[in-house]
Amino acid sequence: MIESLVYRGGAVESYDDLARAKAAEGTTWVHATGVTDDERERVREAFDLHPLAIDDITGNIRAKTEEFSDYVFVLLKTARLTRGATTFEEEITDDPVGIFFSNDWVVTLTTGTAEEIGRVRAAVESRDERLLERGADFTAYRIIDAMVDRYFDLLDSIETKIESIEDEVVASTDIDLLEGINSVRRELLSFRKLLWPAREAVGTLARGDPKPISEETEKYYRDVYDHLVQLVDLTETYRDLIAGTRDIYLNTLSQSTNEVMKVLTVVATIFIPLTFVAGVYGMNFEWMPELGWRWGYPAVLGLMVATAAGMGWFFRRREYI
């Protein structure tokens, strides 16, 4: 689907013809999502977009910013937590969003459903028509800012998971808890791989290097850059937290195993001499004087009881049990 909006004379108008939308006076915003190859080619030809930039959107390319002769290309990725198709666990999925903007037009291309762009576009259509009045560079900023705000929501969800795991790790050594820890570690790693290129891409805009960015709008991009720096710092902090939580879990598991092994060692040590005595007098030798002795059985039984009691006293003195 291709949608074209043009802000002119204090109002927003819709255009079906891309060439007319681009040539119209005012600020033009064309958004294409879920389009076919032919529709994507129409947008590319109408705004003379570079074919390699279009390929970057459809390919799995990291976030970046490129400046062409008369427009700027920004590639970012949306991020959200979804259930995996095979693991049925939450994992981070991303969709690339291509943002092209010049002095008087903005083009956004997505391969998936970018809700962030939908919210900004709904604001333009309903109550914030003047957003386009401030120029194409400001409109691009609002789109990028909406995507970065969504990053905070995702990180809040991960933080909630970490807090829940920290409450459980000191009281349980369930294997499901370890799986939860590893799941959060994978999510943070995926999010980190998404954030670092995005910070570099927005950093180029924050410095005001591209020509279409006005001095007035530059400070807004610096604000988005600061948010991305904060996100990177929080992600690194959460990675340290979950790594510490994993160490606590492994230490708790090791301590629990040691306690079990200690009990088994005590039991085995007590029964070793008993087994020896029983083994000796269980042999079928013909000449064993004790077998004919009247007090042989009480003596052996007393020896075994005394040995067990002595070993128990020894381990209690050593605080093994």
Side-chain angles (χ1 to χ4, degrees):
M1 180 176 62
I2 301 176
E3 298 175 320
S4 303
L5 297 178
V6 177
Y7 177 83
R8 180 174 54 186
V12 173
E13 301 177 7
S14 297
Y15 280 74
D16 294 329
D17 189 294
L18 293 177
R20 288 184 57 219
K22 181 183 179 182
E25 295 181 1
T27 303
T28 301
W29 181 6
V30 174
H31 177 56
T33 179
V35 295
T36 63
D37 293 340
D38 292 338
E39 290 173 328
R40 191 180 296 114
E41 182 64 18
R42 281 179 50 206
V43 176
R44 190 196 71 79
E45 292 178 352
F47 290 87
D48 195 22
L49 305 178
H50 200 285
L52 291 180
I54 302 297
D55 292 341
D56 288 343
I57 299 172
T58 56
N60 189 20
I61 306 298
R62 59 182 289 174
K64 64 178 182 177
T65 295
E66 291 184 357
E67 185 177 6
F68 293 87
S69 59
D70 56 349
Y71 64 88
V72 177
F73 169 54
V74 182
L75 177 63
L76 294 177
K77 293 185 177 182
T78 61
R80 62 185 182 276
L81 285 173
T82 58
R83 292 284 180 183
T86 56
T87 62
F88 300 105
E89 295 181 357
E90 285 190 333
E91 56 187 26
I92 293 181
T93 57
D94 56 69
D95 292 313
V97 175
I99 305 171
F100 303 83
F101 66 95
S102 184
N103 293 323
D104 58 353
W105 55 263
V106 180
V107 175
T108 51
L109 293 174
T110 63
T111 58
T113 57
E115 298 177 359
E116 298 83 356
I117 297 180
R119 288 199 298 268
V120 177
R121 195 169 184 84
V124 172
E125 294 175 338
S126 61
R127 64 183 183 277
D128 196 7
E129 297 90 351
R130 291 178 298 175
L131 186 149
L132 291 174
E133 182 184 19
R134 303 184 67 172
D137 57 344
F138 186 81
T139 304
Y141 148 74
R142 285 289 298 271
I143 297 170
I144 296 172
D145 185 56
M147 296 175 63
V148 173
D149 286 344
R150 187 64 178 269
Y151 292 166
F152 279 102
D153 296 338
L154 187 147
L155 200 58
D156 287 342
S157 300
I158 297 178
E159 180 186 9
T160 302
K161 291 184 181 180
I162 295 175
E163 291 175 351
S164 176
I165 290 174
E166 287 179 334
D167 293 338
E168 297 178 20
V169 73
V170 294
S172 173
T173 56
D174 192 348
I175 190 63
D176 291 339
L177 187 58
L178 181 60
E179 293 178 0
I181 292 173
N182 290 332
S183 176
V184 172
R185 291 177 69 240
R186 288 192 297 268
E187 291 172 3
L188 288 172
L189 179 60
S190 299
F191 196 46
R192 182 177 183 270
K193 290 180 179 179
L194 184 147
L195 284 177
W196 278 88
R199 188 180 71 166
E200 295 175 5
V202 176
T204 302
L205 303 175
R207 291 191 298 268
D209 295 341
K211 295 178 181 178
I213 297 180
S214 64
E215 184 176 351
E216 180 182 356
T217 309
E218 183 181 329
K219 59 179 177 289
Y220 293 102
Y221 284 104
R222 286 199 297 267
D223 181 68
V224 178
Y225 178 78
D226 291 340
H227 289 169
L228 284 168
V229 171
Q230 182 183 1
L231 284 166
V232 170
D233 292 341
L234 286 173
T235 302
E236 296 297 335
T237 300
Y238 292 157
R239 289 187 69 202
D240 292 339
L241 283 176
I242 201 64
T245 302
R246 184 172 183 268
D247 292 340
I248 293 174
Y249 172 85
L250 294 177
N251 290 336
T252 303
L253 181 62
S254 177
Q255 183 178 0
S256 177
T257 304
N258 290 340
E259 293 296 327
V260 173
M261 293 301 299
K262 186 184 295 184
V263 173
L264 293 177
T265 301
V266 170
V267 173
T269 305
I270 291 176
F271 276 92
I272 284 175
L274 305 183
T275 304
F276 172 75
V277 173
V280 169
Y281 289 99
M283 295 184 293
N284 294 324
F285 290 122
E286 182 177 355
W287 300 105
M288 294 186 70
E290 295 87 351
L291 297 180
W293 183 34
R294 177 181 180 183
W295 304 103
Y297 173 73
V300 172
L301 187 61
L303 176 62
M304 295 174 67
V305 171
T307 302
M311 296 299 295
W313 174 84
F314 173 79
F315 283 115
R316 281 196 299 270
R317 292 278 294 180
R318 295 292 182 178
E319 296 183 351
Y320 287 160
I321 58 174

